[in-house]
Amino acid sequence: MAKSVNFQLCIICQVIGEDNLVEKPSTHEKLLSAIKERAKYGDVKLAELWSVLKDVPFKEIEEKVSWHRKCYLDTTHSGMLKRARERYEREVAGPDESRRKPSNSPQGLFTRSKTAPYDRVVCFFCDGEAKYQQPLHMVSTKSAGSSLEAAVKTSGDPKLLVKLSTALDGQDAHAIDVKYHKNCWAKNVTGVLRKSSITEGDGEETSEIAAKIEFLTMTETALNK
């Protein structure tokens, strides 16, 4: 499950540490840009952080967000950003390039061979294409978009978290062109939310209801056709 962000701690490492927290308004934009870019290139920790920050108004970030100087420098370092981008591009190039990479990749870093950024033409969950008996359906309602986001964060699946961070529009978290197989949605959204609801003992959550509505809408559309 994705961790919540404590704005009273360092926004990057989420610990107090020995260094004092610093805040320079002119650098907030640079930090956010670096977090977003590193998330795109497969840094799971920063992908989770970006999935939270992208929905926070920039003015609120300027007022609340602070960091350790070392954490800031590590995150925004141009050399590290360049290496992350080059690593990502090598993975995108194909399996021939991937085979040249060491097998002991740093823990916590997921490259394209392990978790690809979101591809709009295949199933969001299994990366499978549409088939005669397994057509792809599109998330078409705001409530279904909320259900998808809630289920992915609840499951904590690093592959889906990275996909989610590249699929969501920071200005409107529900304006997403996500496609899915019916069985994949039932397993990864409806099932996850139902299990979470039972575990927490709060009854049926709004997000689960929204997932069911999406499924019923999809079924009704299929029957009408």
Side-chain angles (χ1 to χ4, degrees), residues 102-174:
S103 58
N104 55 340
S105 298
Q107 185 176 5
L109 179 65
F110 287 78
T111 56
R112 182 175 174 85
S113 61
K114 294 182 180 180
T115 177
Y118 175 54
D119 186 345
R120 296 175 183 271
V121 300
V122 298
C123 175
F124 179 85
F125 303 102
C126 72
D127 296 321
E129 298 179 351
K131 297 181 180 179
Y132 177 73
Q133 294 184 336
Q134 290 184 309
L136 288 175
H137 305 276
M138 183 181 296
V139 172
S140 56
T141 65
K142 182 176 180 178
S143 59
S146 298
S147 297
L148 173 64
E149 186 174 15
V152 171
K153 291 182 178 180
T154 297
S155 70
D157 187 318
K159 296 180 180 180
L160 296 183
L161 283 168
V162 171
K163 286 185 178 182
L164 189 68
S165 70
T166 58
L168 296 182
D169 183 339
Q171 300 302 315
D172 183 357
H174 307 293

Side-chain angles (χ1 to χ4, degrees), residues 5 22 35 43 69 76 82 87 91-92 109 152 177 200 217:
V5 175
V22 297
I35 292 173
D43 189 315
R69 184 172 182 274
T76 61
K82 180 181 179 181
R87 185 187 301 113
E91 293 293 338
V92 171
L109 179 65
V152 171
D177 183 22
E200 294 174 1
T217 301

Side-chain angles (χ1 to χ4, degrees), residues 19-38:
D19 298 333
N20 293 327
L21 295 178
V22 297
E23 178 183 349
K24 296 180 179 180
S26 61
T27 57
H28 279 87
E29 187 173 352
K30 181 178 180 180
L31 177 63
L32 286 177
S33 177
I35 292 173
K36 180 180 180 180
E37 187 173 357
R38 294 280 290 274

